[in-house]
Amino acid sequence: MTGRAVRTLVLGGVRSGKSAYGESLLGSHRQVRYLATGSRTSTDAEWLARIAAHRERRDDRHITIETTDLAGELRAAPDIPVIVDDLGSWLTARVDALGGWESGDVDLDPEIADLCDALRGMNADTVVISSEVGLSLVSSTPAGRLFQDLLGTLNAAVAQACDRVSLVIAGRVLDLPRGEFDASPVPPTAAEQAPNDRTSNDQTSNNQAEEAPANAPETAIAATPAPGTAGPPAARTRVAATPVAADASDLPDPTDAEIFPAVTPPDEAVAFTARERQNSLTKPPGSLGRLEEIGVWIAACQGQCPPAPIVKPAVVVFAGDHGVARGGVSAFPPEVTAQMVANIEHGGAAVNVLAARAGASVTVVDMSVDADTAPHLSTYKVRRSSEDLRTTDAITIAEARAALAAGRAIADRLVDSGSDLLIAGEMGIGNTTPATVLVGALTRREPVEIVGRGTGVDDHGWMRKTAAIRDGMRRARKVVHDPLALLAAVGGADLTAVAGFLAQAAVRRTPVILDGLVITAAAMVADALAPGATRWWIAGHRSVEPAHQIALDHLDLKPVLEMSMRLGEGSGAVLALPIVQSAVDIMTSMATFDEAGVAGRDDSPADVEIP
């Protein structure tokens, strides 16, 4: 077993987009087995047309196998990525085979256990599609209630066999945290078991629609959390991290990872048109201040005016440990990095809460955490912890290329899946030290000018940190004009991956909101790797770290917010995201003077009689 496979259960209602989303999870694989469970013997023309449409949607990579022996087919090829679509039709077929609709007495526990065992034995990425109980159309009859009870049991068992469970509602995706409660369905009451119309097997099967329509829009697979609704606070304000799993054969080639193509700037002609539109809206020109500038920038990045709404923003938190942290430069011990990675993965960090409010997905990537993390987090892992930058290179040149390639690949994956705005975050105890070294080396500042308190070190910690930055800068100066060597010397794997991510986003013409010191320090190197990349970025906020303002000045960026923040994780950038979204909304939804029938500004001289 590779240790990198991810088993995902995708739940949703009829025509929710669950199948399209499930297929997107395996989009990078060269070969996919498609286990289709929908019956082609039905007399329902609409059902048969839907199955045919799904078959046409599958490209040459897909090997379609129509079967109800799911456990057998999974065991037959455990090393080939597979999608099962869907469990509801499989369940219907198994109840049919056992004659359970009439008797209402059917025991599928052994078959469900066998299916789950086969799922756990998969060595390749696996996606299972199923309808969530209550979201599919099932008649309120004894047979319908039997189907719902069995489906609830089946979904709960499969969820336990999977690494990840996603719920698709109205084209939006919510990754569900693992629950600690008993997920078995509550037995029906006597009233619920009362006789009613008996539905036929065909009706149950047809109402249990397996997939989204073939013409589902791209936004149907948007990996963003569902909007906040009434319910427990945790359900409203958290979004768990989304894995970026890849098969080992899909890892990026690090050869020449530091060589980027020329960056095309945002469209100046569109920017001019956007400024004219701003002046035509029902407000005095410039009265919305910076909001107008941001709207123009997004329009220029998208190459259209008015700009399209930002519907699929994505946050990636790059995690890594640093050897210098063992020198007492942080208020927290290094093991906190791995603990916080787990917290982000399960939706408990500040970035998760803020992202849920802004409608952004969150992905956490282990680049160099000094611990073993889950396989789907460590797909791109370069090493365990970077070395101590005070005395030796943080990583080797080969590791720097691998980290750069990883950052570029992650950006490509997100852009290819439809993400329309990216945010980089970071998690790593002691990472403000290498970040400050980068800023100091590139701007030729003295350590005492740029060192900050980071996670809140005391005076003695501040002195140790200043000395570490001094030693790191002394080593960095030798390679300051070689971005790759500079990242290897003092950056570490996580900051190097961030630099690749930011530069590749610019190459792919995708806007980015920068976070605080660590991300902005990596951005300085990214702009050296891909000159002109900075035009695709906006600074989300200004942190209290002294080096951050120096880095912003170096990149000629003005922060959107100043909230005295110094947390990291991407939190400041995510907090600025709703402002950027609002700037777009102003451009798209606010009426012009002509549309509203409002008189514009009168610049003609007043007709006043002069005595």
Side-chain angles (χ1 to χ4, degrees):
M1 186 168 179
T2 65
R4 297 182 183 275
V6 176
R7 296 175 292 268
T8 304
L9 172 62
V10 179
L11 301 170
V14 177
R15 298 181 183 270
S16 63
K18 62 183 183 296
S19 292
Y21 175 67
E23 291 169 10
S24 75
L25 296 177
L26 301 182
S28 65
H29 292 289
R30 298 180 181 89
Q31 183 183 37
V32 177
R33 299 174 79 233
Y34 204 111
L35 305 186
T37 61
S39 172
R40 301 183 68 192
T41 61
S42 171
T43 58
D44 189 317
E46 182 183 355
W47 176 254
L48 294 176
R50 184 176 301 177
I51 292 177
H54 283 296
R55 289 181 66 89
E56 292 175 3
R57 188 172 68 190
R58 300 167 201 152
D59 56 32
D60 294 339
R61 298 178 304 111
H62 293 89
I63 302 172
T64 300
I65 301 169
E66 295 178 350
T67 184
T68 57
D69 183 15
L70 293 181
E73 288 293 343
L74 292 173
R75 292 191 176 102
D79 298 316
I80 300 177
V82 64
I83 183 168
V84 176
D85 198 355
D86 75 337
L87 291 184
S89 296
W90 175 81
L91 177 63
T92 298
R94 299 312 305 143
V95 176
D96 275 351
L98 297 173
W101 300 116
E102 295 294 334
S103 67
D105 182 17
V106 58
D107 181 12
L108 287 180
D109 288 349
E111 294 190 44
I112 292 174
D114 188 45
L115 172 59
C116 292
D117 181 68
L119 282 171
R120 292 188 181 96
M122 287 299 296
N123 300 332
D125 289 342
T126 302
V127 175
V128 181
I129 310 295
S130 185
S131 287
E132 172 58 7
V133 177
L135 296 182
S136 57
L137 301 176
V138 179
S139 299
S140 180
T141 63
R145 286 189 287 272
L146 172 65
F147 177 82
Q148 288 181 315
D149 291 343
L150 291 174
L151 183 62
T153 300
L154 174 60
N155 284 347
V158 171
Q160 291 299 314
C162 288
D163 307 296
R164 176 187 175 203
V165 180
S166 298
L167 178 64
V168 182
I169 300 178
R172 296 297 183 96
V173 179
L174 178 66
D175 285 316
L176 304 179
R178 286 189 176 273
E180 300 299 327
F181 55 91
D182 181 4
S184 58
V186 178
T189 64
E192 289 174 328
Q193 292 177 326
N196 203 332
D197 272 345
R198 177 173 287 116
T199 184
S200 70
N201 161 48
D202 277 349
Q203 287 173 319
T204 305
S205 174
N206 294 343
N207 285 332
Q208 173 58 32
E210 69 168 12
E211 300 181 300
N215 61 349
E218 289 298 321
T219 54
I221 61 169
T224 53
T229 55
R236 291 201 305 271
T237 58
R238 288 185 179 185
V239 53
T242 303
V244 286
D247 188 87
S249 61
D250 294 329
L251 294 178
D253 182 359
T255 305
D256 296 331
E258 72 274 22
I259 299 176
F260 289 80
V263 174
T264 303
D267 195 319
E268 283 295 340
V270 172
F272 179 81
T273 302
R275 292 186 189 98
E276 289 190 324
R277 178 169 178 81
Q278 287 282 10
N279 292 336
S280 73
L281 300 177
T282 49
K283 58 178 177 57
S287 58
L288 288 178
R290 184 78 189 282
L291 204 63
E292 297 185 21
E293 298 175 18
I294 295 172
V296 169
W297 174 67
I298 289 290
C301 289
Q302 293 183 358
Q304 65 181 60
C305 181
I310 295 170
V311 296
K312 198 176 179 184
V315 183
V316 181
V317 180
F318 294 86
D321 278 306
H322 296 265
V324 71
R326 293 189 288 271
V329 298
S330 174
F332 290 85
E335 54 265 27
V336 169
T337 300
Q339 295 165 1
M340 280 302 300
V341 165
N343 189 30
I344 294 170
E345 181 192 7
H346 293 102
V351 67
N352 303 97
V353 175
L354 296 173
R357 172 58 61 191
S361 64
V362 176
T363 298
V364 60
V365 181
D366 173 6
M367 293 304 305
S368 56
V369 176
D370 194 15
D372 292 328
T373 57
H376 63 274
L377 302 182
S378 57
T379 299
Y380 298 102
K381 188 165 187 166
V382 171
R383 57 176 294 158
R384 284 182 62 141
S385 183
S386 300
E387 297 292 345
D388 189 341
L389 59 79
R390 296 176 296 179
T391 58
T392 188
D393 287 349
I395 54 178
T396 66
I397 290 293
E399 289 168 339
R401 285 198 172 101
L404 269 180
R408 297 181 68 171
I410 293 167
D412 282 336
R413 278 173 173 258
L414 290 171
V415 174
D416 290 341
S417 68
S419 294
D420 45 14
L421 185 144
L422 301 180
I423 291 173
E426 39 69 32
M427 172 48 61
I429 296 302
N431 62 10
T432 58
T433 296
T436 305
V437 170
L438 287 174
V439 174
L442 290 169
T443 61
R444 299 183 180 277
R445 298 297 186 107
E446 291 298 321
V448 292
E449 293 182 78
I450 55 178
V451 67
R453 298 279 177 174
T455 51
V457 293
D458 59 17
D459 290 344
H460 292 291
W462 183 89
M463 288 187 285
R464 289 191 295 269
K465 185 174 181 178
T466 302
I469 290 169
R470 176 203 62 204
D471 295 342
M473 286 177 59
R474 184 180 298 121
R475 300 185 61 259
R477 289 192 184 102
K478 303 173 185 177
V479 290
V480 73
H481 298 297
D482 183 340
L484 180 67
L486 178 63
L487 289 167
V490 298
D494 49 346
L495 272 69
T496 303
V498 171
F501 178 83
L502 297 175
Q504 189 66 13
V507 169
R508 297 298 304 272
R509 300 175 60 86
T510 303
V512 172
I513 304 178
L514 299 181
D515 192 42
L517 168 61
V518 178
I519 300 303
T520 310
M524 294 172 69
V525 187
D527 193 51
L529 287 165
T534 185
R535 298 187 65 181
W536 290 91
W537 309 330
I538 190 172
H541 78 119
R542 173 170 42 224
S543 79
V544 297
E545 288 288 314
H548 192 207
Q549 181 59 59
I550 295 170
L552 292 175
D553 290 341
H554 180 84
L555 294 173
D556 194 25
L557 294 175
K558 295 185 297 182
V560 174
L561 297 172
E562 186 166 3
M563 303 285 287
S564 300
M565 296 174 68
R566 54 179 173 84
L567 174 63
E569 300 179 7
S571 55
V574 177
L575 194 61
L577 175 58
I579 294 177
V580 176
Q581 292 168 318
S582 296
V584 174
D585 293 341
I586 288 292
M587 294 282 290
T588 58
S589 302
M590 190 173 179
T592 65
F593 285 106
D594 289 342
E595 291 167 345
V598 175
R601 176 175 174 175
D602 184 4
D603 290 323
S604 61
D607 187 12
V608 179
E609 182 178 349
I610 300 176

